[in-house]
Amino acid sequence: MPIPRNIQEELEKRDELILALELMVVDQACRLLAAEAVLRELVPPKRKPSQEKIDAHIAESAERFRQRFEGESVAGFTDRAKRIAADLVGR
């Protein structure tokens, strides 16, 4: 039995909304992980945060996300978090 057109259109709108919400959640998770990594380098106060240590923390912490995402998407997730962290420290 075919789905009526108006219901199909509503389902497509719902799918687009769900995708947008998922993208927002991933973006916020990347930003929070980046901020966490930068803050860990700033406390106790140091002269300059170490980008290598920030990247290492992001990679290590990303393990907790591996259970939720597929392997390849986690790589993109950690790369994005590293870029955001670099922006936060002005690199």
Side-chain angles (χ1 to χ4, degrees):
M1 181 167 142
I3 298 174
R5 182 181 173 125
N6 62 337
I7 293 176
Q8 184 65 35
E9 289 172 358
E10 288 301 315
L11 289 173
E12 288 173 8
K13 286 181 194 175
R14 185 210 58 190
D15 289 348
E16 290 174 14
L17 181 60
I18 290 170
L19 179 59
L21 290 171
E22 287 175 348
L23 292 173
M24 284 177 39
V25 167
V26 170
D27 181 63
Q28 290 304 306
C30 286
R31 291 178 186 282
L32 287 172
L33 181 56
E36 174 188 314
V38 170
L39 287 174
R40 286 177 52 94
E41 275 298 294
L42 295 176
V43 178
K46 296 179 180 178
R47 289 185 178 197
K48 220 178 205 184
S50 165
Q51 189 67 46
E52 292 79 27
K53 287 184 180 179
I54 290 170
D55 290 349
H57 176 75
I58 289 171
E60 181 181 306
S61 295
E63 287 299 319
R64 62 186 169 192
F65 297 104
R66 286 198 195 281
Q67 298 169 350
R68 303 278 185 241
F69 301 125
E70 295 177 15
E72 199 170 303
S73 64
V74 171
F77 177 84
T78 56
D79 291 343
R80 180 178 175 82
K82 288 176 183 179
R83 284 193 307 273
I84 291 169
D87 288 345
L88 289 173
V89 296
R91 299 206 175 151

